[in-house]
Every structure is written in C-alpha cells, then in structure tokens.
C-alpha cells in the first residue's frame, strides 16, 4: 500500500449523523464551517447501522456506508465539498463491537450456523462455557417474560420471508438453521394425514428443502440466500405450496389455550444455535462479551487478523483513495490489545508508526498519561476538558462546598468511597456473569499453585471484586510477559487498597496479586504461564466497563456536591487548579501530544461546556449559594410527596435538580416550555442511572412521577410560591458569569497546545444535558446567517462590534464571534499554534490571581492569549462587597476591574501588540521597562486594563 499523506487538523467540528441529518445536510454546512475557521469535519460513525439509528454506534455492516445517510454517492459528494475547500474528514471508527441484530449479516450467520458459521470467530463468544450459560449456543436475553411463559403465550412465532424462516418476538427476529427450515417445510404433526404424491411437499418443495438442508457446515449467508431463493420463488408463485407452508407455520405456532401445542416449536427452538432467555438473565448467563452491559452490542475479536481485515476494509479504502484524513477510535479500552491494534492500523494505513492522524477515545484518570508508545496523536480531549474546567473552579469556595453538601444531604463528601461502592455494586448487579467466569478461570489457575490450591471460590471472588473496585484507572495494558512499570504500579496500588479494606483477604490477595503481576512460581510450566497471561488480558477488558458503569453512569449521579465536576474522566471531589498547574499540564501536552484534541463538549459529556461554566460559578459564591439552598429547601419541602414512606426527592436529587436548573435554564423565554420537557426526561434518566430509588433494571414509576411532580410544583409561578422569582434572580447572576467563564475556556481551547474541537452547535450558547439531549437538532442556517452578519459588521470596526457584543451577550453572538475570530487567526498561523513554544506568563499586581495567560512563539512570530478567571469573585472584591453578596452584572473590563495589575512578558517578547478581537493596539509602556544604566532589566509589563479594555478575553498578535 502506498504511504498515506498525514494531515494534522487545525480545528475540528463534530457532526452527529442520523436519518434526519444526512451527508447532503452536512455538505450544505461545509461553507459555514469553513467560514467559521474549521479545517476538518469530525464525523460520527457513518457505516451501515440499525434502521433509524440516532448515533451510528450500532454498526451492522462495516463494509458499507449507511444508506440512510446517503450511501456512497452522498458520502462522495460530502467528501468532494470538503476537498474543494481544502478541508479534511475524520471518521469515528468502532472496532470493538457491532449490533447483535438480525440486520447484521455476520451475526445472522452466527445465529443460523453456530460455532460452524463462517463468522463465528469474528465475535467474542464463549462456545464452551463452563458457567451457567448454554454450551454450544449463544444466549440471547431478549424476552420480557420467562421463556416458557413467552412460548405458551404465543409471543414466539414462526414466519416466512424472502431471506428465510424466522422466529419472531415483537420487533426481534431470529433465523432458523437450514436443517430446521427443511424440517418445517416438509413437516406434518403425528397423526395428521400424510401428503399424497401429487402434494407439493414431496415434489419440488421437498427437493429444494433437501438441497437447503445439505448445505455444508460453514456455508455463509450468501450461499444460504441462493438456496433459499428457490424456495421463496415456489412460495411466492405457487398457491398450493404457499398454502402448505402457511399451514405448517400455523401448526408450529400452537394455540394459546393449549400448552402442548407448542411442543413442536419448543423442539425446533432447542435445535438452534441460540437460546432465547429472559432479559434479566443477561448479567449471569450471557456468553458473549458485550459493550458494557448492553446485550444489543456484541464485541468483536479485533485482535484477529481476519476480523481486523474484514472490519477495516472500507475504512482503509477510503483512506487510500484520499476521502478521509483522520480517524477517531471508539472505546479503545475494550480491545484485547489496544497497542497491537493501533500498530496494525497504522501499518495498514501506510502511515508508518504514527503518520496517519489518529486520536483514541481514551478516558484518562487524574494524573494518568496516555501510554507513550501508542502510535496515535492523542486522545479525544477529555483530559483537556477536565483540566480547563478545573481552572475555573474556585479552590477556596469548592472546599467550602463540602460542608454545604453534607448539611444539605446528610452524607459525607467522600467521593472515593462512593466510586468504590458503586463499582462493587455494578459488578454484583450488571456484570455477575463476567465476574463469575473470571473467578472460575482464577480457580483453575489456583489448582496449579501449591500455595493457592486450598483457596475457595468465594475467597477468590471477594479478592477479585475488591481489587477491581480499587483500581484507580480504567484499565492496564499488559500485552505480554513484560509488564510496564506504570501498569505494575496501578495493580500494586489496587492490591494495597484491597488489603486495607479487608485484611482477611490476604491469602487470596497474595495469589491474585502474583497472577495480575505475572510473578510466576519457578515450577510453573510455559503453557500454564500463558494461562496466567490470558487471565490478565481478559480481566483488563472488564475493568474498563466496570469503571464506566460504576463511575460515569452511577457515581456521577449520586454525588451532587458541584455537578460541573461530574464529568467523564473528572474528579467530583476536586477543588480546582491554579494557573501554574494549568501551565504545567499544557507544557506536558505540548511536548508529548501537541496534536491531541482539545474538547470542551462531546456527544458523551454529562453536561455541555456552557452548563458546566455556569455551575462553576457556585464555587465562587459558596455563601450565597448555601443561603439560597437553605431557603429553597424550606420553601419547597411541602411540595414533596411521600413514596414508600420517604419524601421525594432526597437531598442528593434535590441538589442535582437545583444545579441542573441553574446550569441549563434557557436565556430565551420562548425556549422555556421545551426545556421543561427536556428537564423531565433528564431527571428520569439521571435517577435511573443513580440506581438509588429507581433504575433501568427496576423502574419505579411512583417514585419517578413524584419527582417530576415536585419539579413542576416548584416552578409553578404565583400562588404564594416564592421559589421561581428568587431562583430566576440568582440564576441571572450565575448565567452572566458562567458566560464569561465559557468565553475564557473557549479561547484557551483554541490557543493551547492541541487541536481545538467543537461539538455541533456549541459555537453559540448551548445548554445541553447528557445524551440524547445533546443530539438535538442544530439550526445551522441561523448560525450561518449570524456569522455572515458578524463578518459584514467587522467592516465598521471590530472595537465597536466587540463592545456591542458584550452588551448583547445573551444572544450568543459574542461566543460565535470569539470562535470565528480566534479560529480564523489560528488557521492563518497554523504552524505557530501547531509547533510553537508554549510560554506561561505571570501577572504582577493586586488582581494577579484572576488572570491566566500564555504566549506562543515560533521563530520571530508571537501570539499572546489572556483570559480572566473567577470573575464573579473578582467583581465581588472590586465592589467591596461581603462574600455573602452577589456580584454586580458587570464585565471585568478596564482599570476599574484590573487596577495596576499587569502581565510580565519575556524580554524577547514584542513591546507592541494588536488585539485580534478589537484591533486595539497595546504597548508595554516604556516607563515600565525598568531601565538601569541604560539597559533593560529583562522584563516588560503589559497592563491588564489595556488588554481587557473592550472585550473580556484577549488574543494578541505580536507586532515586530
């Protein structure tokens, strides 16, 4: 394969494709994205998926582009539209899993043929399970009632179609194997009159059925369809054959009032390569690896070369032909060998060790780093997201929120304990079968160890559960007998934590630790050492889903101290970071991963950047927040209904509701009715994820309705209800300073080392909550019109435009303008931002802690970015107010806000600068150079009052 030319994006924009937003719609948006300053479109999965898929991750055929999106023709038109403007295209690739559905031809082949299927090796299925699942069959936990009841209730029925005989269950359908198809076609129950020689059964139909039954083991779906085609033609064109087959189906399908009439159908189902089961059995009996706990997603064996080649053939062709310029790899942690997969992918792309632009969806825990040897350009940006968000959390105020949280909820602010408990919980409730399989595997290993052979399965299970719950990262990356030091450190940390939790586990922990660390006894033969490694590889594939479900999808919903910190890869117990810490992390990212994505919102974030920025403000005004909480609780206590003897909501959920209202309340009055509906859908999802009073497994309609009723009552205006007016007054302040924080984060994202990434619609204010709320329709026509108007207004002078945008901030155009001007400047100086040195800048003066600034330098070219932080606290201090007061709604501009505070510039920095947003010229005054004996002292001071004279964030171009 020829080498693929690498392309490094300057700025990316994520679009979510679905049947309502197709390739043609995206092509129409390309001119707008180009005008905005975007260089690369970043597409959600676009391969064939389940009909109507809203996200594309339920892939059914990775060898075809999704026809619902416009297929090959539509994709080519989109790609050409991008190429015409010199723009790139990054695809989201899903190597870990596919949809476990009948419209997936590979899965259909497996269900029809079982272990002999041509595609059986493609999926991670345990055909010879030693557990409670069915050996030699795939367990399909899809039934809403126990199997026997569903069968005798007539919910399982045989049906004929152009692609075979099927078992139907509501919207599901499951194929019959060829022998069973032949049996149904020629069947008559015992005692029924045998068909005579003139009957169609012993004639053409019987001959076609015999040919179907004689298909060789391993024959694929295409072979089956050709054989079935003869039968379908007879059925479609010969009335006597159709009547015969329909009568057979009727007899097989039984009579609801006669249980014995279903015996034949039961016997037929027992002969299939799958077993239909109650959905609740999935956690215990399922014998294929799922994506997290979702039975509708079956995992692939991407480590197999044949599987890799089949699943990536189209991706590689699109890259070879130049249609795509980068890849985003979904759920890399689910793969058996992520490093091996990435090596193979880069080699297949012809990009060398890391030539083709690839970013990995890798969630890094606090202070965890991406493995240095991976041939990728970085992550999808959660590490940056959490770093930049923490910069806008007031450390002093966040620490005070511990007490606020405890007083309001009656619970300790100990998030580490919450995560530990929830990881244990999801292992028990969502992954018991996977844990049991690992325990059985571990017990077999113990039999070969003279110091562990007397350990019981319960002891091994408790040790395994405790170590997994204590692992501080999503997973380790051992791939062979040479264990990396970083992985060893994480495992040892988990073992030590488990020992502290339960000292009685020491014997089992000792053995488990030796296995996980691959510390073999000298007497262990080579094949048994491989069994130890196989255990570690399988364990590593499970720890990620357990962290995801325990941390992201449970703990983040039961701990409501400061919800802006409750983010994927975040630390809800954090108390912010300093500007110095932000610079330290930026320097590391610039040195090691200069082309990693800088995200602030994604399709998986729990809240959009603008919602988080608003909630961050609470850390700056903790006393005022605590006072509101106290009176809101008092006012609203009488609006709670009791369910199961307890008032709804409890403290955690009430705190979640208030912060959600503050963070997501619309700025436009006409959007409020739709927001109320969105809020109710969110509350149901959030409380089900929390799994305290209701859950996806066991919904409690009474609790959910009581919670929604509470939300409706507290927002009801009039009638002696003081909450709405008080809330809106407080929310107005939070929204104002949240907007300032969001603008600051936006500029830092654009100017920092890395590639700024924008999630669809976030260039205007966007107050979205967790999916599916963040997949709502985006009005691109409105955005394009607003941008065109802004560009036209620039002609009259940017300073006047910037001042007007500050005054009318609520319409969101100030954010659109910030994005447009900064991205356009970055695109013009792409080398400076891609490879330029990162120089942290300090401030001098009384307001120095309220600014974060840095310069980027490449050869003689300079740019300086500066933003305010903690603006609400700054304005409280500027107004001379007590900490209990709210700040005035005033932007931190000019000498009134900044006084004599200045940035300290390096001696080599230019003295003259121009503001990209306002065209204002700024000079470091000569009187501040501090000359001694005719020589400069080595520093220049740039007044913040000049930097933030007109606009609340600054991007300055150095003027030589």
């Amino acid at each position: 394969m020829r080498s693929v030319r690498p392309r490094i994006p300057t700025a990316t924009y994520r679009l979510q494709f679905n049947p309502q937003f197709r390739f043609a719609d995206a092509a129409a948006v390309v001119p707008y994205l180009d005008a905005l300053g975007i260089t690369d479109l970043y597409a959600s999965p676009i391969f064939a998926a389940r009909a109507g898929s809203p996200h594309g991750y339920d892939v059914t055929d990775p060898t075809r582009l999704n026809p619902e999106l416009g297929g090959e023709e539509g994709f080519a038109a989109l790609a050409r539209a991008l190429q015409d403007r010199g723009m790139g295209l990054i695809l989201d690739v899903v190597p870990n899993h596919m949809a476990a559905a009948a419209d997936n031809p590979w899965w259909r082949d497996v269900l029809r043929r079982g272990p002999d299927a041509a595609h059986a090796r493609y999926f991670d299925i345990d055909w010879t399970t030693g557990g409670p699942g069915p050996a030699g069959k795939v367990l399909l936990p899809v039934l809403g009632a126990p199997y026997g009841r569903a069968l005798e209730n007539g919910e399982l029925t045989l049906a004929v179609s152009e692609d075979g005989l099927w078992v139907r269950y509501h919207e599901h359908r499951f194929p019959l194997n060829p022998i069973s198809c032949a049996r149904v076609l020629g069947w008559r129950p015992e005692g029924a009159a045998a068909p005579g020689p003139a009957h169609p059964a012993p004639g053409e139909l019987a001959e076609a059925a015999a040919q179907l039954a004689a298909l060789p083991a391993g024959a694929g779906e295409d072979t089956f369809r050709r054989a079935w085609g003869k039968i379908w033609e007879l059925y479609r064109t010969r009335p006597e054959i159709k009547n015969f087959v329909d009568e057979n189906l009727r007899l097989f399908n039984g009579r609801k009032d006669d249980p014995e009439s279903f015996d034949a159908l039961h016997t037929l189902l027992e002969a299939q390569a799958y077993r239909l089961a109650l959905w609740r059995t999935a956690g215990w009996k399922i014998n294929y690896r799922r994506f997290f706990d979702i039975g509708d997603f079956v995992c692939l064996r991407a480590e197999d070369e044949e599987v890799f080649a089949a699943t990536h053939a189209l991706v590689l062709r699109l890259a070879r032909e130049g249609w795509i310029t980068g890849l985003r790899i979904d759920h890399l942690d689910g793969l058996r060998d992520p490093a091996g997969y990435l090596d193979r992918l880069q080699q297949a792309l012809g990009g060398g060790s890391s030539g083709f632009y690839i970013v990995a969806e890798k969630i890094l825990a606090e202070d965890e780093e991406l493995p240095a040897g991976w041939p990728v350009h970085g992550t999808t940006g959660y590490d940056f997201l959490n770093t930049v968000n923490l910069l806008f959390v007031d450390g002093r105020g966040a620490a005070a929120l511990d007490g606020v949280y405890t007083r309001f909820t009656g619970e300790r602010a100990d998030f580490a304990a919450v995560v530990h408990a929830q990881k244990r919980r999801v292992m028990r409730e969502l992954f018991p079968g996977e844990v049991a399989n690992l325990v059985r595997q571990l017990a077999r290993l113990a039999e070969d160890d003279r110091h562990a052979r007397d350990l019981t399965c319960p002891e091994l299970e408790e040790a395994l559960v405790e170590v997994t719950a204590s692992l501080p990262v999503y997973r380790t990356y051992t791939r062979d007998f040479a264990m990396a030091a970083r992985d060893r450190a994480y495992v040892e940390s988990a073992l030590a934590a488990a020992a502290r939790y339960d000292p009685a586990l020491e014997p089992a922990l000792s053995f488990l630790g030796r296995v996980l660390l691959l510390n073999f006894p000298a007497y262990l033969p080579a094949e048994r050492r491989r069994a130890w490694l196989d255990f570690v590889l399988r364990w590593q594939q499970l720890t990620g889903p357990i962290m995801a479900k325990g941390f992201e999808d449970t703990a983040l919903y039961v701990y409501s101290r400061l919800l802006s910190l409750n983010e994927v890869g975040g630390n809800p117990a954090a108390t912010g970071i300093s500007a110095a810490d932000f610079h330290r992390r930026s320097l590391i990212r610039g040195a090691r991963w200069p082309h990693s994505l800088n995200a602030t919102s994604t399709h998986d974030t729990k809240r959009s950047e603008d919602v988080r920025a608003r909630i961050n403000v609470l850390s700056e005004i903790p006393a005022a927040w605590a006072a509101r909480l106290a009176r809101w609780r008092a006012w609203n206590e009488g609006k709670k209904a009791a369910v199961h003897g307890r008032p709804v909501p409890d403290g955690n959920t009430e705190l979640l509701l208030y912060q959600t209202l503050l963070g997501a309340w619309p700025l436009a009055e006409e959007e409020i009715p739709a927001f109320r509906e969105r809020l109710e859908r969110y509350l149901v999802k959030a409380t089900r994820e929390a799994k305290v009073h209701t859950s996806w497994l066991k919904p409690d309609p009474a609790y959910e309705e009581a919670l929604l009723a509470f939300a409706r009552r507290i927002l009801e205006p009039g009638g002696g209800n003081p909450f709405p007016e008080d809330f809106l007054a407080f929310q107005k302040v939070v929204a104002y300073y949240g907007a300032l924080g969001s603008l600051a984060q936006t500029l830092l994202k654009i100017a920092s080392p890395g590639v700024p990434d924008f999630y669809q619609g976030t260039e205007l204010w966007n107050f979205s909550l967790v999916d599916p709320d963040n997949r709502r329709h985006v009005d691109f026509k409105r955005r394009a019109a607003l941008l065109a108007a802004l560009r036209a207004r620039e002609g009259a002078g940017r300073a006047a435009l910037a001042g007007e945008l500050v005054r009318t901030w609520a319409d969101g155009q100030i954010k659109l303008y910030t994005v447009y001007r900064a991205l356009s400047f970055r695109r013009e100086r792409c080398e400076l931002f891609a490879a330029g040195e990162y120089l942290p800048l300090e401030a001098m003066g009384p307001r120095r802690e309220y600014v974060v600034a840095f310069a980027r330098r490449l050869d003689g070219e300079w740019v300086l970015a500066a933003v305010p932080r903690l603006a609400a606290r700054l304005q409280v201090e500027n107004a001379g107010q007590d900490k209990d007061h709210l700040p005035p709604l005033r932007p931190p501009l000019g000498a009134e806000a900044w006084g004599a505070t200045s940035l300290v510039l390096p001696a080599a920095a230019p003295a003259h600068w121009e503001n990209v947003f306002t065209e204002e010229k700024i000079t470091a005054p000569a009187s501040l150079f501090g000359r001694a004996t005719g020589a400069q002292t080595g520093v220049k001071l740039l007044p913040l009052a000049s930097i933030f004279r007109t606009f609340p964030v600054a991007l300055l171009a150095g003027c030589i």
Side-chain angles (χ1 to χ4, degrees):
M1 178 184 290
R2 69 174 177 84
S3 178
V4 177
R5 180 176 63 87
R7 170 196 168 93
I8 303 301
T10 298
T12 61
Y13 193 97
R14 168 82 176 202
L15 288 177
Q16 294 293 106
F17 286 95
N18 55 59
Q20 287 72 50
F21 188 87
R22 306 168 78 241
F23 295 139
D25 301 304
V29 172
V30 167
Y32 161 69
L33 296 181
D34 183 30
L36 187 62
I38 298 297
T39 64
D40 291 69
L41 190 152
Y42 166 20
S44 65
I46 61 172
F47 303 110
R50 297 296 307 274
S53 175
H55 46 68
Y57 287 101
D58 44 0
V59 177
T60 57
D61 189 349
T63 69
R64 292 190 304 126
L65 292 170
N66 194 336
E68 290 191 321
L69 304 182
E72 290 267 359
E73 184 178 347
F75 174 79
L78 169 60
R80 283 193 295 269
L82 291 166
Q83 290 180 344
D84 288 345
R85 293 176 177 269
M87 299 173 69
L89 176 57
I90 299 171
L91 284 193
D92 193 342
V93 176
V94 190
N96 176 69
H97 58 268
M98 296 179 72
D103 43 359
N104 177 344
W106 297 349
W107 184 244
R108 189 166 67 241
D109 177 40
V110 171
L111 295 187
R112 197 185 303 281
R113 290 289 191 175
D116 295 328
H119 297 94
R121 65 183 293 181
Y122 281 35
F123 301 104
D124 198 348
I125 302 170
D126 182 5
W127 294 103
T128 59
T129 178
K137 293 176 179 282
V138 178
L139 185 84
L140 301 179
V142 298
L143 303 180
Y147 167 75
R149 188 191 308 166
L151 175 72
E152 295 176 6
N153 198 40
E155 296 177 65
L156 301 172
T157 58
L158 288 186
V160 62
S161 71
E162 62 181 347
D163 53 356
L165 284 171
W166 298 82
V167 179
R168 290 192 175 276
Y169 176 73
H170 300 299
E171 74 276 13
H172 301 283
R173 62 180 198 146
F174 312 98
L176 291 189
N177 62 46
I179 293 176
S180 293
C181 287
R183 181 180 172 223
V184 171
L185 294 174
W187 181 77
R188 271 296 186 264
E190 186 177 350
H199 199 280
E204 296 173 79
L205 181 61
E207 181 181 348
Q211 291 175 358
L212 187 71
L215 291 178
E221 281 293 282
D222 289 343
T223 303
F224 175 85
R225 288 179 72 94
R226 284 194 295 271
W228 180 260
K230 302 174 185 177
I231 296 170
W232 178 249
E233 182 65 16
L234 292 172
Y235 179 85
R236 192 175 61 84
T237 61
R238 301 277 293 278
E240 71 278 14
I241 290 181
K242 181 180 185 302
N243 292 338
F244 175 79
V245 173
D246 289 346
E247 177 62 11
N248 279 4
L249 296 180
R250 187 188 68 78
L251 293 171
F252 263 103
N253 287 335
R255 299 179 301 281
K256 191 172 180 179
D257 57 348
D258 182 3
E260 291 185 2
S261 67
F262 294 96
D263 291 352
L265 180 55
H266 171 68
T267 301
L268 195 72
L269 288 171
E270 290 292 278
Q272 305 312 307
Y274 52 83
R275 195 186 103 192
L276 304 180
L278 178 66
W279 66 273
R280 291 183 185 274
T281 66
W284 288 101
K285 295 185 178 183
I286 201 164
N287 58 344
Y288 60 86
R289 187 165 58 89
R290 304 167 288 170
F291 171 66
F292 295 167
D293 62 330
I294 304 173
D296 289 342
F297 287 167
V298 57
C299 289
L300 292 156
R301 297 178 63 245
E303 68 276 8
D304 185 287
E305 290 188 17
E306 180 183 333
V307 177
F308 177 90
T311 53
H312 290 73
L314 178 55
V315 172
L316 297 176
R317 176 173 71 80
L318 295 176
R320 219 170 22 241
E321 295 173 355
W323 294 114
I324 62 173
T325 56
L327 296 176
R328 181 253 196 201
I329 308 302
D330 180 65
H331 191 50
L332 193 71
D333 276 350
L335 304 182
R336 185 175 177 88
D337 180 10
Y341 167 82
L342 293 170
D343 285 336
R344 179 179 288 138
L345 181 59
Q346 282 285 12
Q347 293 303 318
L349 288 164
S353 62
S354 60
F356 199 77
Y357 186 75
I358 297 177
V359 289
E361 188 212 22
K362 167 59 192 164
I363 311 304
L364 297 168
E366 197 169 19
D367 295 324
E368 181 188 8
E369 292 187 21
L370 198 64
W374 283 7
V376 296
H377 290 82
T379 72
T380 53
Y382 288 104
D383 42 344
F384 178 84
L385 180 154
N386 286 294
T387 291
V388 76
N389 187 66
L390 283 170
L391 184 63
F392 294 87
V393 173
D394 188 338
R396 290 181 295 181
L401 293 180
D402 287 349
V404 175
Y405 177 79
T406 298
R407 288 192 299 274
F408 197 84
T409 66
E411 300 178 15
R412 290 188 305 128
D414 186 352
F415 184 68
V418 172
V419 173
H420 182 273
Q422 298 308 325
K423 288 176 72 175
R424 287 182 60 93
R425 177 179 184 175
V426 298
M427 279 186 271
R428 182 179 69 250
E429 295 181 358
L430 303 181
F431 302 103
E434 287 88 344
V435 171
N437 287 338
L438 279 174
V439 170
R440 282 189 292 272
Q441 192 175 350
L442 187 61
R444 289 193 292 271
L445 301 182
E447 287 295 323
D448 295 331
D449 189 289
R450 64 185 64 160
H451 297 290
R453 64 193 306 173
D454 294 328
L455 292 170
T456 65
C457 281
E459 290 174 309
L460 293 172
E461 179 175 356
E462 184 58 25
L464 180 66
V465 166
E466 189 53 42
V467 168
T468 304
S470 301
L471 190 71
V473 292
Y474 277 70
R475 65 163 284 174
T476 52
Y477 296 97
T478 296
R479 57 188 305 206
D480 51 34
F481 295 115
M483 191 173 192
R486 55 168 273 160
D487 289 338
R488 184 173 294 274
Y490 287 133
V491 172
E492 288 174 343
S493 169
L495 288 164
R500 290 192 297 270
Y501 177 81
D502 188 354
L505 290 175
E506 193 281 329
L509 287 173
S510 176
F511 172 64
L512 177 60
R514 286 190 284 119
V515 173
L516 293 178
L517 296 169
L518 298 177
N519 292 334
F520 310 108
Y523 56 80
L524 198 67
E527 68 272 12
R528 299 311 297 158
R529 295 184 181 208
R530 179 68 207 186
W532 282 37
L533 179 58
D534 286 342
F535 174 85
V536 173
L537 295 175
R538 179 60 72 176
W539 176 69
Q540 289 180 148
Q541 285 182 287
L542 182 59
T543 60
I546 288 170
M547 175 70 93
K549 297 305 295 183
F551 173 82
E552 295 175 29
D553 293 342
T554 307
L556 294 185
Y557 291 94
V558 298
Y559 183 85
S560 303
R561 168 179 166 267
L562 185 65
L563 289 180
S564 54
L565 299 178
N566 290 30
E567 196 48 81
V568 177
N571 178 11
T575 54
I577 60 172
S578 65
D581 200 22
F582 175 81
H583 292 316
R584 177 185 65 81
R585 299 185 189 192
S586 296
L587 284 166
I588 292 173
R589 189 169 58 255
R592 299 178 185 173
W593 306 103
H595 308 307
S596 185
L597 291 186
N598 292 347
T600 44
S601 294
T602 79
H603 63 286
D604 277 333
T605 43
K606 303 301 181 184
R607 293 161 189 84
S608 71
E609 60 207 57
D610 295 327
V611 173
R612 289 196 309 274
R614 284 179 170 184
I615 298 173
N616 282 341
V617 174
L618 301 180
S619 70
E620 303 179 58
I621 49 173
W625 169 230
R628 265 70 183 179
L629 281 178
R631 62 178 179 247
W632 292 353
R633 163 170 275 185
W635 289 341
N636 295 333
E637 193 67 26
K639 299 179 178 66
K640 297 180 179 180
V643 176
H644 310 305
R646 296 188 300 268
V648 178
D650 63 7
N652 244 315
T653 307
E654 190 173 358
L655 199 53
L656 176 141
L657 171 58
Y658 293 146
Q659 290 182 73
T660 301
L661 288 171
L662 288 169
W665 192 265
L667 288 165
E669 188 78 21
E670 64 270 17
E671 295 176 11
I672 292 176
F675 168 71
R676 289 174 182 264
E677 297 178 6
R678 291 170 46 219
L679 174 68
E680 294 195 5
R681 289 193 293 268
Y682 170 75
L683 289 175
V684 171
K685 175 166 183 171
T687 51
R688 288 186 179 182
E689 295 283 24
K691 306 172 186 66
V692 177
H693 305 292
T694 184
S695 69
W696 298 108
L697 292 177
K698 296 180 180 179
D700 186 336
Y703 172 85
E704 292 172 3
E705 182 49 43
L707 175 61
L708 300 184
F710 176 78
R712 295 176 196 129
R713 291 189 194 107
I714 66 172
L715 293 172
E716 204 58 49
N721 181 13
F723 173 77
E725 182 178 355
D726 196 60
F727 162 75
L728 288 174
F730 186 66
Q731 198 276 335
K732 183 180 296 185
V733 175
V734 170
Y736 184 83
Y737 284 96
L740 292 174
S742 180
L743 284 182
Q745 290 194 42
T746 298
L747 181 57
L748 293 180
K749 172 171 73 172
I750 295 171
S752 293
V755 177
D757 174 50
F758 291 82
Y759 184 67
Q760 61 176 29
T762 57
E763 63 272 28
L764 289 178
W765 301 134
N766 183 292
F767 305 112
S768 294
L769 301 168
V770 72
D771 70 284
D773 191 63
N774 60 15
R775 293 199 299 264
R776 287 173 294 129
H777 170 72
V778 176
D779 189 345
F780 285 108
K781 289 184 178 180
R782 174 172 177 262
R783 284 162 170 77
L786 289 174
L787 179 58
L790 285 173
R791 297 177 72 183
R793 291 165 65 189
E794 279 187 286
R798 291 182 195 164
L801 173 59
E804 176 63 21
L805 293 175
V806 171
R807 289 188 289 276
T808 60
W809 67 273
D811 64 13
Q813 292 190 68
I814 188 172
K815 187 177 184 184
L816 180 65
Y817 179 73
T818 301
V819 172
Y820 152 65
R821 283 302 326 149
L823 284 185
S824 298
F825 181 82
R826 180 184 172 110
R827 184 167 57 184
E828 293 165 2
R829 294 163 177 79
C830 58
E831 284 301 315
L832 169 62
F833 285 96
E837 185 180 1
Y838 180 93
L839 302 172
L841 301 178
E842 294 185 356
M844 292 177 56
R847 299 292 180 250
R848 60 184 177 275
E849 71 173 302
Y850 294 105
V851 65
V852 60
F854 55 84
R856 306 294 304 275
R857 176 179 64 184
L858 182 65
D859 299 327
E861 194 171 18
W862 288 74
V863 64
L864 186 156
V867 301
R869 60 186 292 257
L870 312 181
R873 177 153 69 90
L874 168 65
Q875 293 296 58
V876 167
E877 291 186 10
N878 284 335
Q881 294 176 326
D882 184 86
K883 64 180 181 179
D884 293 343
H885 285 76
L886 294 177
L889 300 186
R890 187 165 62 238
L893 299 176
E896 182 182 10
W898 298 103
T901 305
S902 298
L903 287 184
V904 181
L905 304 183
H912 305 287
W913 302 82
E914 180 175 313
N915 192 316
V916 170
F917 300 117
T918 66
E919 297 178 306
E920 294 168 317
K921 305 295 192 293
I922 306 172
T923 299
S927 60
L928 296 179
F929 282 13
R931 297 179 182 276
T933 63
Q936 293 184 15
T937 61
V939 298
K940 301 181 179 74
L941 300 180
L942 203 59
L944 291 179
S946 298
I947 294 174
F948 300 123
R949 180 183 302 141
T950 307
F951 205 64
V953 296
L955 187 64
L956 309 180
C959 303
I960 304 300

